[in-house]
């Protein structure tokens, strides 16, 4: 049997709503203080009063590349 490496992306798309003085601060806050970990939830270190979000719970799956790597088992 042949073995293949499948490079895959899971894309969660949504919106953060953040209170900030300007666009640059808003962007910086999201880049530095918001994230997602597999097996976890969307999280933030910002105050609850300053940020809210709405994201789909199921990601879009994209196969990026497929390449045969060898014959045999893992």
């Amino acid at each position: 049997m042949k073995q293949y490496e499948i490079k895959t992306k899971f894309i969660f798309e949504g919106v953060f709503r953040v209170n900030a003085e300007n666009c640059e601060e808003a962007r910086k806050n999201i880049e530095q203080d918001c994230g997602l970990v597999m097996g976890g939830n969307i999280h933030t270190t910002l105050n609850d009063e300053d940020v809210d979000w709405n994201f789909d719970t199921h990601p879009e799956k994209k196969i990026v590349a497929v390449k045969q790597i060898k014959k045999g088992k893992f």
Side-chain angles (χ1 to χ4, degrees):
M1 182 149 312
K2 299 174 185 173
Q3 191 176 92
Y4 295 87
E5 180 177 279
I6 313 298
K7 185 174 180 179
T8 308
K9 289 183 181 182
F10 289 96
I11 303 164
F12 288 88
E13 189 171 333
V15 174
F16 284 100
R17 288 176 213 86
V18 61
N19 295 326
E21 293 296 321
N22 55 50
C23 183
E24 292 81 21
E25 181 186 3
R27 183 182 186 102
K28 179 181 152 226
N29 287 346
I30 299 306
E31 286 178 351
Q32 293 180 353
D33 296 306
C34 299
L36 170 68
V37 177
M38 282 183 55
N41 295 317
I42 293 175
H43 60 273
T44 183
T45 56
L46 297 171
N47 293 327
D48 288 342
E49 305 84 43
D50 290 333
V51 67
D52 191 18
W53 58 78
N54 183 7
F55 280 79
D56 290 335
T57 56
H58 298 284
E60 175 184 351
K61 181 174 23 179
K62 287 191 176 184
I63 303 297
V64 177
V66 178
K67 94 177 163 181
Q68 183 177 344
I69 52 177
K70 67 179 183 177
K71 290 185 177 182
K73 295 184 177 185
F74 292 101

